[in-house]
Amino acid sequence: MKDKQVLVRSAQLQDIADICRLCGQLGYPVEESGVASRLKTILADVEQAVFVAVNQNGGVIGWVHVLQVLYLETEPFAEIGGLIVEETFRGQGTGKMLMQAAEEWAIKNTLLDIRLRSNSIRENAHVFYKAIGYQHVKTQFTFHKRITG
Ligand SMILES: CC(C)(COP(=O)(O)OP(=O)(O)OC[C@H]1O[C@@H](n2cnc3c(N)ncnc32)[C@H](O)[C@@H]1OP(=O)(O)O)[C@@H](O)C(=O)NCCC(=O)NCCS
């Protein structure tokens, strides 16, 4: 059943605790102080945005982060930095609403290409992205090196 009572708005600093709780559900246990610092930076940056979904009780039940990416070899594009809907509110159209907010932000910023990367184990998310019009275009390896001074 679609929940018509959910609204999407820009994130505010007062949302930090809820954003952190949802980061945990996304698989990223985070320190609130680190999220607070990064959210302040993001909110002050015109090249990125965070939107939250709020239910009829005023509770934050999801968030999406969208940012402009600039690489030498391609036109600038928008990328989804993260997306999460509270476990008990999934399947009610909230993820789609958050993605629509991200897409509207991209269009306003003249970014007509929107991309995202999703871990291969997130099969439910892949079904979701296809349902809302995204195409799986390539599969990549991710490399990482911890730089120690
Ligand atoms: C992926 C996620 C954000 C989707 O949010 P959601 O609110 O549950 O999705 P919606 O209810 O808006 O679904 C939109 C469409 O996708 C479809 N869909 C979503 N999840 C689905 C699933 N598991 N299986 C089948 N279809 C699915 C819905 O049926 C709906 O289709 P419709 O518009 O034709 O009715 C949410 O499941 C989530 O937070 N997952 C865990 C975190 C995660 O994987 N994030 C993405 C990281 S890349």
Side-chain angles (χ1 to χ4, degrees), residues 2 83 85 90-96 118 122 125 127-129 131:
K2 305 282 178 192
L83 169 72
V85 171
R90 290 181 193 160
Q92 299 176 19
T94 304
K96 190 174 180 175
S118 180
R122 295 192 193 276
V127 176
F128 161 77
Y129 289 125

Side-chain angles (χ1 to χ4, degrees), residues 117-126 136 139-140 142:
R117 289 170 284 135
S118 180
N119 193 318
S120 55
I121 62 171
R122 295 192 193 276
E123 292 176 2
N124 286 342
H126 304 163
H136 177 197
T139 303
Q140 294 180 305
T142 302

